Amino acid sequence: MKAIRVEKHGGPEVLELEDIAPIEEPGPGQAVVRIVAAGVNFMDVSQRSGSYPREVPFTPGAEGAGVVESVGEGVGNVKPSDRVAFTGVPGAYAEAAVADASRLIPLPDDFSFDEGAAFPLQGLTAHYLIHEFRKPKRGDFVLIHAAAGGVGGLLVQWARHLGATVIGTTSNEEKARAAREAGAEHVVVYSDEDFVAETKRITKGHGADLIIDGVGKTTFKGDLEAVAVRGQIVIFGATSGPADPIAPNSLMPRAVSVSGGRLQNFIRTREELMRRANDVIEAIHQGWLKLKISAVMPLAQASKAHELLENRRTQGKLVLSIDDSQQAA
């Protein structure tokens, strides 16, 4: 079967489309999924570059959607021909992958495979970030960094749905327009404005009750200034590099809470996975949560997709199309 392979760590050019051995029969509790579309994420970039260690050679990707081809002994939640989505399944940049069947999410009939590849990782991430630390409520100020990105755009919509006033940050005016379209009442273009000063101005000195930060190094120091008394900062990524360390006692004067999040820790059981997935799917069905797919590119252009993502030239989700015949169907 065809798959993207990383033989050595490096830039986007190390992503090569190769013919590899087909997937073996699934073992107990497993299913083989014929992948139709795969999501592209910053973790893929980090693994490819070597900043997030993974032994080479490997096939990148951990998110996608497709059709179950076969199941192993003891599998009862899916069967061959079922349409499914997934996140946390290694090797998604390929025509097929073997998955723990309990991690597969039934894909609604009215969802395309591209949508199936676009919602799991970012949708479930947005869900836990909104619900597990300080759930926004009417009257709260929520500061969301990278508000035009895939997770950021979903966070903006969810915080607005819960009644909060959203302040988004973006890198340019084009992305600022996208953040406003997602529902951010205030947008700070951080290349032109100081997001700390703007947050204090917008909130009349109160600060942000909740700050959700997937950027890290270039934003975290400012978060500590922009957060309200008894406010919460949640770090879930490091697209600009890891945030600099702080002294824990420095949080005491204004009773600030700082938390870290990683999706795998919030979908540890099938019950939790499906509860979050069903909430995201229901929100999309209700129409107030909208997926934004930036581009759909063929698998052979995985290197181009990584280049776009690394250079912050995307708004929303990048998807790799793997099986065009199924997309058409």
Side-chain angles (χ1 to χ4, degrees):
M1 69 176 187
K2 292 192 180 300
I4 296 291
R5 298 290 284 172
V6 175
E7 303 291 341
K8 61 179 181 180
H9 294 120
E13 70 280 356
V14 304
L15 298 173
E16 296 282 350
L17 184 62
E18 299 179 6
D19 288 310
I20 65 171
I23 296 291
E24 297 179 358
E25 289 299 308
Q30 294 182 328
V32 171
V33 179
R34 184 171 74 258
I35 301 174
V36 180
V40 180
N41 297 290
F42 269 104
M43 180 174 287
D44 308 342
V45 171
S46 298
Q47 291 179 349
R48 185 215 72 221
S49 67
S51 61
Y52 187 99
R54 186 171 178 189
E55 187 176 348
V56 294
F58 67 91
T59 296
E63 174 188 43
V67 179
V68 175
E69 280 198 330
S70 58
V71 299
E73 181 183 351
V75 173
N77 63 296
V78 293
K79 63 184 185 304
S81 80
D82 281 356
R83 302 167 79 249
V84 294
F86 59 82
T87 184
V89 176
Y93 290 15
E95 292 180 325
V98 62
D100 178 343
S102 69
R103 311 309 288 171
L104 298 176
I105 302 165
L107 186 63
D109 291 340
D110 59 346
F111 274 49
S112 69
F113 286 107
D114 289 342
E115 291 170 326
F119 89 83
L121 190 148
Q122 293 179 343
L124 301 183
T125 296
H127 188 281
Y128 89 76
L129 288 170
I130 286 289
H131 290 85
E132 298 300 328
F133 300 98
R134 177 177 177 146
K135 187 176 179 179
K137 63 183 185 301
R138 191 166 302 281
D140 281 353
F141 291 98
V142 179
L143 173 61
I144 298 169
H145 290 297
V151 175
L154 297 177
L155 287 168
V156 169
Q157 294 175 67
W158 217 305
R160 274 299 304 276
H161 178 71
L162 294 173
T165 298
V166 177
I167 305 166
T169 71
T170 66
S171 59
N172 57 52
E173 186 55 44
E174 181 183 2
K175 290 187 175 183
R177 287 193 293 273
R180 293 187 189 99
E181 289 172 4
E185 291 98 325
H186 307 277
V187 181
V188 180
V189 179
Y190 57 75
S191 56
D192 300 327
E193 302 170 294
D194 179 348
F195 81 81
V196 175
E198 284 299 294
T199 298
K200 290 181 177 179
R201 179 188 65 79
I202 292 164
T203 64
K204 296 180 169 55
H206 176 80
D209 299 290
L210 173 64
I211 300 177
I212 304 180
D213 189 344
V215 177
K217 187 174 183 64
T218 60
T219 50
F220 181 63
K221 183 179 179 181
D223 295 344
L224 294 167
E225 299 178 54
V227 70
V229 171
R230 293 171 59 179
Q232 176 101 38
I233 301 169
V234 183
I235 297 287
F236 74 100
T239 59
S240 68
D244 291 332
I246 59 169
N249 292 81
S250 68
L251 305 174
M252 293 172 56
R254 289 167 46 238
V256 172
S257 298
V258 178
S259 301
R262 188 177 183 189
L263 177 59
Q264 289 90 328
N265 293 322
F266 293 91
I267 52 171
R268 297 181 69 180
T269 66
R270 178 159 182 81
E271 184 278 330
E272 189 171 35
L273 169 71
M274 291 309 303
R275 175 171 60 83
R276 296 194 194 282
N278 287 334
D279 281 357
V280 173
I281 290 169
E282 179 61 23
I284 294 169
H285 277 149
Q286 289 178 2
W288 60 261
L289 187 68
K290 301 182 186 301
L291 297 173
K292 183 169 185 179
I293 297 177
S294 177
V296 179
M297 308 172 72
L299 182 62
Q301 291 185 16
S303 59
K304 179 65 173 178
H306 275 221
E307 182 182 335
L308 291 172
L309 194 60
E310 280 186 281
N311 292 328
R312 303 177 187 271
R313 289 161 54 194
T314 64
Q315 296 176 21
K317 186 75 175 186
L318 279 174
V319 173
L320 297 175
S321 179
I322 297 171
D323 188 340
D324 291 334
S325 65
Q326 286 293 320
Q327 291 283 17

